[in-house]
Amino acid sequence: MREAPVIRRVVIAIAAVLLASPAAAQAPMPKWAIVIHGGAGVIERANMDAKTEAAYREAMAGALAEGHRVLEKGGSAMDAVEATIKVMEDDPLFNAGRGAVFTAEGRNELDAAFMDGATMKAGAVAGVTRTRHPISLARAVMEKSPHVMLIGQGADQFALSVGLEQVDPAYFFTERRWEQLEKALNEKRLPIPTRPINAPAASKLISQGPQPDDHRFGTVGVAALDSKGNVAAGTSTGGMTAKRWNRVGDAPIIGAGTYADNRSCAVSATGSGEYFIRLTVARTICALVQYKGMSLQAAADEVVQKQLVDVGGDGGVIALTADGQLAWSFNSPGMYRARASSGSAPVISIYKDEP
Ligand code: ASP
């Protein structure tokens, strides 16, 4: 093949650089944006019936719409994160609030974290058993206490003292999660605990066909950008099915499952928490953006597709930056995820082959 003349080659090179430049590739900066997840795991078409899939898509759309409403009328990223996660905590489909997974002792122990990218203030709670909305409690720890993290009974007591709704622990009970607990304990040859006091009488779930294998994951998380240019992130979870010994995962660990800083990015993670803690996944993604100048998508892929895979961790993240980049990345077969921003249509996805 004959070599192109020098001038032609220079012109081609300049055109390639211009076309590849972010300015040429990027849509105009959105006024506001929100990106959410509802957990990652073995979520594939083969193990999902049409009804369940539709229910998840509807639940994601409803949660996204809540955040959208807050941001569209000029509300803060923090308000959008809290409002959206509250909707998901109330929805028994997700492993957060009502519908959380059970510990090996048959309890729901809830973890959550909240971070404000403008001030880098943060709040987190772990092992909460009575507060209806752990995400609101995490925010209250940030705004109304001198601390960053409260755990167990003390966290619930603090919730009561700041007027957050308390519920009987049985409020969080769902038959589906109980069945997942029994299965997990049988596999581990551990004893099945008695049903929680005040839980509804046992009823065998009528099989609805194939169900997503989300007994391990199903956490919810949100990152938002508001019209003032501030970002915030939050995560809420029941943790892992059949967890023992007051185990705490990455969700409430600032820098692991949750992080927000206007200067870099806002991230919420979901997956095998132990690995996310060791790699400080959320903070590492933001550090790559901040110090290495990587695009958000490249930074998220670097951590989720390479670093996490190398150590055997599975799951994913959603993230956004103050300059309007949105990203998600997951190394599991699926992740419930959705995004919306001013000026573009919402996207709701579950499987790997979706945008
Ligand atoms: N990351 C959570 C944990 O380890 C679990 C999840 O994302 O579903 O507690």
Side-chain angles (χ1 to χ4, degrees), residues 311-336:
V311 295
D314 48 352
V317 299
I318 50 102
L320 54 68
T321 61
D323 68 5
Q325 299 175 60
L326 273 72
W328 50 49
S329 187
F330 54 100
N331 62 30
S332 47
M335 181 168 83
Y336 300 109

Side-chain angles (χ1 to χ4, degrees), residues 95 111 216-219 237 239-240 247 249-251 269-274:
N95 172 18
D111 305 335
R216 291 181 60 208
F217 308 144
T219 294
T237 188
M240 303 281 241
R247 176 264 186 194
D250 61 316
T270 178
S272 42
E274 281 67 13

Side-chain angles (χ1 to χ4, degrees), residues 36-43 48 56 59-60 63 84-85 87-102 109-111 174 176-177 180 212-222 234-241 243 247 250-251 268-273 276 314-318 330 332 334-337 350:
I36 75 178
H37 70 77
V42 186
I43 309 163
M48 181 84 91
Y56 271 102
M60 302 277 293
T84 308
I85 292 186
V87 170
M88 299 176 97
E89 285 177 340
D90 283 346
D91 191 326
L93 283 178
F94 301 107
N95 172 18
R98 185 151 179 263
V101 299
F102 287 96
E109 294 179 358
L110 312 171
D111 305 335
T174 54
R176 166 174 170 238
R177 296 300 187 190
Q180 289 177 351
D213 177 20
D214 61 358
H215 71 280
R216 291 181 60 208
F217 308 144
T219 294
V220 307
V222 176
T235 311
S236 182
T237 188
M240 303 281 241
T241 301
K243 63 185 181 181
R247 176 264 186 194
D250 61 316
S268 170
T270 178
S272 42
F276 285 67
D314 48 352
V317 299
I318 50 102
F330 54 100
S332 47
M335 181 168 83
Y336 300 109
R337 60 200 190 275
I350 299 176

Side-chain angles (χ1 to χ4, degrees), residues 282-299:
R283 174 61 185 142
T284 300
I285 292 171
C286 292
L288 290 173
V289 170
Q290 190 172 359
Y291 302 123
K292 266 199 146 182
M294 285 171 82
S295 75
L296 183 66
Q297 187 65 56

Side-chain angles (χ1 to χ4, degrees), residues 249-321:
D250 61 316
I253 310 289
I254 299 302
T258 309
Y259 196 73
D261 179 352
N262 278 1
R263 296 166 304 175
S264 53
C265 63
V267 179
S268 170
T270 178
S272 42
E274 281 67 13
Y275 298 91
F276 285 67
I277 293 174
R278 282 182 243 166
L279 291 181
T280 55
V281 161
R283 174 61 185 142
T284 300
I285 292 171
C286 292
L288 290 173
V289 170
Q290 190 172 359
Y291 302 123
K292 266 199 146 182
M294 285 171 82
S295 75
L296 183 66
Q297 187 65 56
D301 287 342
E302 160 67 28
V303 176
V304 173
Q305 312 293 344
K306 290 194 197 135
Q307 298 184 11
L308 256 182
V309 170
D310 284 351
V311 295
D314 48 352
V317 299
I318 50 102
L320 54 68
T321 61

